[in-house]
Amino acid sequence: MSLTIPFSDRAHAGRALAERLASEGPWDDALVLALPRGGVPMAYEAASRLGLELDILLVRKLGLPGHAELAMGAIASGAVRVMNEDIVHYAHVSTATVDAVAERELQELQRRERVYRGERPPPSVRGRPVILIDDGLATGATMRAAIEAAKLLGAAQVIVAVPVGAQDTVEQLRRQADRVICLFSPQDLVAVGYWYQDFGQTSDREVQELLQQAWSANRTNNYGERQA
């Protein structure tokens, strides 16, 4: 039996996610935070359709040495570190190795913060519902770090919204987030990219352009509200 791939690309997944979010609202004063880079195109689509503010929350996976695609943990803005202790213990990864990987990823996180945000200050999170969007969940390490970061920033509620996620991971995140919205949660995920016809890497330039479009639209809307 052949599997029909549900999403043509990330933008298509973002539109589908927006429809689901719209049916589960209202989302008054909610802030959409995308996890760059892959989460930005779909978060842009969702935020635009729901009329919500869009920003980013930087998260970096801590790849297992020799198997970088396997997350032994993740770091997020705000000095948040979340570890998959089972993987660390199974692979016998030393504390020094974890720290070295974390330091390298921290440098990349800070680089992206400068490239994507420039001089723009971080968004106001305290007291607001936050919708965290990424292109999928495998181990969930990066999303767990994002949830903790959002909580530390004072989010009133933390909602995870993804097009696809491994069933076990989705269930684990339900215990950490206030709500998890996932369009497809297969028992055997295989890989997030299998659920997209086009899962090419999102570039820094694409992230910059989408964020600038969203921020420009938000400034225009706010100006119109002040003039009303």
Side-chain angles (χ1 to χ4, degrees), residues 123-206:
S124 174
V125 173
R126 185 164 301 280
R128 302 174 67 183
V130 167
I131 304 173
L132 300 173
I133 294 183
D134 202 359
D135 52 17
L137 299 170
T139 67
T142 53
M143 187 58 78
R144 287 196 292 128
I147 293 169
E148 290 306 310
K151 288 180 177 179
L152 285 173
L153 290 169
Q157 289 184 315
V158 180
I159 299 94
V160 172
V162 293
V164 61
Q167 189 176 95
D168 289 348
T169 300
V170 170
E171 291 306 313
Q172 290 170 6
L173 290 179
R174 290 191 197 281
R175 296 191 288 271
Q176 186 181 2
D178 294 287
R179 202 183 331 176
V180 177
I181 297 171
C182 182
L183 304 185
F184 294 91
S185 54
Q187 188 170 5
D188 185 13
L189 177 72
V190 182
V192 170
Y194 283 24
W195 295 75
Y196 295 81
Q197 294 174 21
D198 178 2
F199 197 65
Q201 189 176 63
T202 304
S203 68
D204 281 346
R205 179 177 292 276
E206 183 178 359

